[in-house]
Amino acid sequence: MSVSDMFITLHSSLTVDQDIREEIRKVVQNLEQTAREILTLLQGVHQGVGFKDIPTKCLKAREHFSTVKTQLDTLKTKFPPEQYYRFHEHWRFVLQRLVFLAAFLVYLETEELVTREAVAEVLGIESDREKGFHLDIEDYLSGVLTLASELSRLAVNSVTAGDYSRPLRISTFINELDAGFRLLNLKNDSLRKRYDGLKYDVKKIEEVVYDLSIRGLSKEKTSEAGAEEK
């Protein structure tokens, strides 16, 4: 093969790769738009009246996740399945954002931490990497850490809305989350830095709970801490 033929072959390979990346980018842009719509919807709970409308907002968010499933199904067709990690960088950020949104949705519904398998089901993808397009463990953990930041904000806004029991439940949840992350030996630099921010979320929520305690509000409405506030 001549040098010219070699470079013609290389050019062809590069063109194919660039075309794949362009197709992926188009789908990812649609995913990012849907993620923004879900975020706008769920962040409505931070407003005073939003606390009374959580079930409705969760139902609407689940409808949007149907769109996410369709968009991810399209994304799966844009590259060879065995090259998942070759192109992973293109959808990593939006997938982490979607994990956070799914985790926030499930927390608002149940006040529990969603499993990686359950998130994968919400998104319509696999949890097992051997089965194709899947939810990477580190992407799942990154999304969960974003949830912690959102819940610290929710704790503050709960007090403003007169919901004094919710910050106590959030505090218990975040402390359990922190204990769980302490069990992990995080080697991913980005993930480890994200985890370092968790301690600030823990501290922020502890300050909210302490403030409620010294104001004598931490015991209020404890008998009502269940279903009607969820």
Side-chain angles (χ1 to χ4, degrees):
M1 180 183 293
S2 68
V3 172
S4 177
D5 288 340
M6 288 174 59
F7 274 85
I8 289 174
T9 301
L10 289 172
H11 176 267
S12 178
S13 297
L14 285 173
T15 299
V16 171
D17 185 80
Q18 290 168 356
D19 288 345
I20 291 175
R21 292 180 187 277
E22 182 59 31
E23 288 299 310
I24 290 174
R25 276 193 286 268
K26 290 177 182 177
V27 181
V28 168
Q29 286 176 352
N30 292 331
L31 278 167
E32 289 171 342
Q33 177 58 38
T34 305
R36 284 192 292 270
E37 292 171 2
I38 298 173
L39 179 63
T40 299
L41 183 62
L42 291 180
Q43 285 194 330
V45 303
H46 292 292
Q47 302 170 1
V49 295
F51 285 92
K52 299 178 181 179
D53 204 26
I54 286 178
T56 300
K57 292 183 183 300
C58 289
L59 284 173
K60 290 182 179 179
R62 285 200 174 272
E63 292 175 3
H64 280 72
F65 272 108
S66 295
T67 302
V68 170
K69 282 185 177 182
T70 301
Q71 291 169 337
L72 285 172
D73 282 341
T74 301
L75 180 59
K76 296 172 191 177
T77 68
K78 300 301 182 182
F79 63 96
E82 68 276 8
Q83 296 185 15
Y84 176 92
Y85 283 105
R86 180 180 182 182
F87 301 107
H88 177 238
E89 64 188 77
H90 291 289
W91 60 76
R92 178 178 57 200
F93 177 77
V94 71
L95 197 59
Q96 291 174 0
R97 174 58 62 89
L98 289 168
V99 170
F100 150 61
L101 293 171
F104 191 28
L105 169 63
V106 171
Y107 179 84
L108 290 173
E109 292 175 333
T110 67
E111 297 194 354
E112 295 179 354
L113 176 62
V114 69
T115 65
R116 183 164 69 101
E117 292 74 17
V119 174
E121 184 176 350
V122 170
L123 300 179
I125 59 179
E126 303 292 340
S127 57
D128 184 352
R129 65 183 295 173
E130 301 301 325
K131 294 182 178 180
F133 194 102
H134 63 282
L135 176 56
D136 184 84
I137 292 177
E138 292 181 350
D139 288 340
Y140 166 74
L141 293 175
S142 292
V144 169
L145 286 170
T146 304
L147 171 66
S149 296
E150 192 72 16
L151 291 183
S152 68
R153 179 187 174 197
L154 185 63
V156 174
N157 291 330
S158 296
V159 177
T160 303
D163 184 348
Y164 304 129
S165 61
R166 190 179 297 272
L168 304 180
R169 303 196 301 275
I170 291 176
S171 178
T172 298
F173 176 85
I174 292 296
N175 279 305
E176 291 176 352
L177 195 63
D178 182 47
F181 270 94
R182 288 177 185 274
L183 297 175
L184 303 179
N185 181 22
L186 300 176
K187 297 184 180 297
N188 180 299
D189 288 341
S190 174
L191 191 57
R192 189 167 61 247
K193 289 178 181 177
R194 296 280 300 277
Y195 167 64
D196 288 341
L198 180 58
K199 62 185 177 183
Y200 297 106
D201 297 322
V202 172
K203 181 179 180 181
K204 183 176 180 179
I205 296 170
E206 286 177 345
E207 289 173 349
V208 172
V209 172
Y210 176 73
D211 183 62
L212 289 173
S213 177
I214 63 175
R215 290 165 59 191
L217 298 173
S218 61
K219 301 299 182 182
E220 290 192 14
K221 298 185 180 180
T222 52
S223 62
E224 304 173 12
E228 72 176 55
E229 295 297 333
K230 292 182 181 179

